[in-house]
């Protein structure tokens, strides 16, 4: 039986249920909107005569997805007790939206969107105190770094040929999300099935696969094998998260898979939202209910909020 002190400490270091629920809803709606927009775009350009998607529907779905993603970032920012997380997420949302509607904001967004993401992730995760913690933070910050390269190339700040480099970086970081599996063999098997599915489909229908990747996800200059490994990491992390009851991780992975290459402000903003949800635990992102900005810290006795593999039932 836990002592009163232990119980009080646990309650004080965990976000309120209302804030957790709100963040989960925001993530779920963002995943649905981005996935729906990508699906319509793929169907619109698919070489399948019976399927006819109006161009207006594709445009409307893309606009709706951007609005929902920005709203999700704002909701997460307002739910967080961490000032730096608030500033970072709001920066991503504001500059992502501005760059979508005004070309003049495209260059500032090259710095603001990935920079705000890195600020929010860094503030939520804090300084590592173990190798596991360091590894996790490197994977998390690889996403905004790759987004910065891709956006800078897309806007002409750097060599346009580096767009593919940014895309490869996002796919590699997505592959490394498999580290979030934490020993769940079922999740690893599911990831393997996802890898095999991509490999089989790309071999059986290379034109259709290439068309979907290019038009639907904007993936260029990236080998299909890397796409398959990214699907492995994403599916494995999503299944592990679902089995632990960490649905925000599932939603983040869903946004990442649906957003595609971050070579335009809308997709870059979506990738940053997905990466934040996939790489940062909800209680780390939102902070304690007391509003004092303290981290999970010693919740697991390691000082950096990293969890050792467990077989217990999740409390999130």
């Amino acid at each position: 039986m836990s002592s009163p002190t232990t119980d009080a400490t646990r309650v004080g270091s965990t976000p309120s249920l209302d804030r957790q629920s709100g963040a989960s809803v925001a993530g779920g709606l963002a995943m649905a909107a981005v996935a729906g927009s990508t699906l319509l775009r793929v169907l619109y350009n698919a070489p399948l005569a019976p399927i006819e998607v109006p161009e207006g529907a594709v445009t409307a779905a893309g606009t709706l997805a951007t609005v929902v993603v920005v709203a999700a970032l704002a909701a997460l920012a307002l739910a967080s007790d961490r000032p730096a997380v608030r500033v970072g997420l709001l920066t991503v949302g504001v500059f992502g939206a501005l760059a979508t509607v005004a070309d003049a904001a495209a260059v500032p967004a090259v710095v603001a969107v990935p920079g705000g993401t890195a600020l929010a992730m860094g503030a939520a995760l804090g300084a590592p105190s173990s190798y596991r913690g360091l590894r996790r933070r490197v994977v998390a910050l690889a996403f905004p770094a790759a987004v910065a390269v891709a956006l800078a190339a897309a806007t002409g700040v750097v060599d346009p040929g580096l767009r593919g480099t940014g895309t490869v970086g996002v796919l590699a970081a997505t592959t490394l999300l498999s580290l979030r599996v934490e020993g769940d063999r079922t999740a690893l098997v599911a990831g393997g099935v996802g890898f095999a599915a991509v490999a089989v489909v790309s071999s059986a229908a290379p034109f259709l696969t290439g068309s979907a990747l290019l038009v639907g996800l904007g993936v260029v200059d990236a080998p299909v094998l890397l796409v398959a490994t990214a699907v492995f990491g994403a599916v494995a992390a999503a299944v592990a998260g679902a089995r632990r009851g960490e649905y925000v991780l599932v939603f983040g992975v869903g946004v990442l898979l649906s957003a595609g290459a971050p070579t335009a402000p809308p997709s870059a903003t979506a990738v940053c939202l997905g990466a934040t949800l996939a790489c940062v635990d909800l209680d780390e992102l939102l902070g304690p209910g007391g509003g004092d900005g303290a981290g999970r810290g010693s919740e697991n006795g390691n000082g950096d909020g990293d969890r050792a593999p467990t077989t217990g039932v999740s409390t999130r």
Side-chain angles (χ1 to χ4, degrees):
M1 179 179 298
S2 300
S3 66
T5 302
T6 301
D7 290 338
T9 302
R10 184 178 295 112
V11 171
S13 63
T14 304
S16 68
L17 184 59
D18 288 342
R19 291 193 296 145
Q20 289 182 337
S21 299
S24 297
V25 170
L29 290 176
M31 181 186 71
V34 176
S37 174
T38 299
L39 178 60
L40 285 180
R41 191 163 58 248
V42 171
L43 293 178
Y44 175 76
N45 291 278
L48 301 174
I51 300 178
E52 295 184 3
V53 177
E55 183 177 356
V58 177
T59 302
T63 301
L64 177 62
T66 300
V67 171
V68 174
V69 165
V70 171
L73 287 164
L76 289 170
L78 295 176
S80 178
D81 278 340
R82 303 183 188 279
V85 170
R86 290 178 182 171
V87 171
L89 294 180
L90 288 175
T91 298
V92 176
V94 169
F95 279 89
L98 288 175
T100 300
V101 300
D103 292 340
V107 173
V110 171
V111 176
V113 171
T117 305
L119 174 62
M121 285 183 169
L125 293 172
S129 63
S130 67
Y131 169 73
R132 283 170 53 84
L134 176 62
R135 183 181 65 184
R136 183 175 168 216
R137 285 150 181 78
V138 169
V139 173
L141 295 178
F143 281 102
V147 169
V149 173
L151 267 186
T155 55
V157 175
V158 299
D159 183 0
L162 292 176
R163 290 179 61 178
T165 302
T167 300
V168 167
V170 170
L171 291 173
T174 304
T175 300
L176 293 175
L177 286 178
S178 58
L179 295 173
R180 301 223 64 190
V181 168
E182 299 175 0
D184 188 329
R185 295 182 180 179
T186 300
L188 290 174
V189 171
V193 172
F195 175 91
V198 174
V200 170
V201 171
S202 63
S203 298
F207 177 77
L208 184 60
T209 302
S211 175
L213 289 176
L214 176 61
V215 178
L217 299 175
V219 175
V220 294
D221 299 330
V224 175
L225 179 61
L226 183 58
V227 175
T229 62
V231 170
F232 163 77
V235 171
V239 171
R243 283 166 55 82
R244 294 195 299 261
E246 298 174 12
Y247 298 109
V248 168
L249 169 57
V250 179
F251 298 147
V253 168
V255 173
L256 276 175
L257 285 180
S258 305
T263 53
S267 58
T269 305
V271 166
C272 287
L273 170 63
T276 301
L277 296 177
C279 295
V280 183
D281 288 340
L282 193 56
D283 47 357
E284 294 171 325
L285 190 65
L286 301 185
D292 58 1
R296 266 174 45 171
S298 59
E299 178 185 341
N300 299 300
N302 59 11
D304 58 14
D306 294 305
R307 228 179 4 257
T310 60
T311 57
V313 177
S314 172
T315 58
R316 285 189 298 280

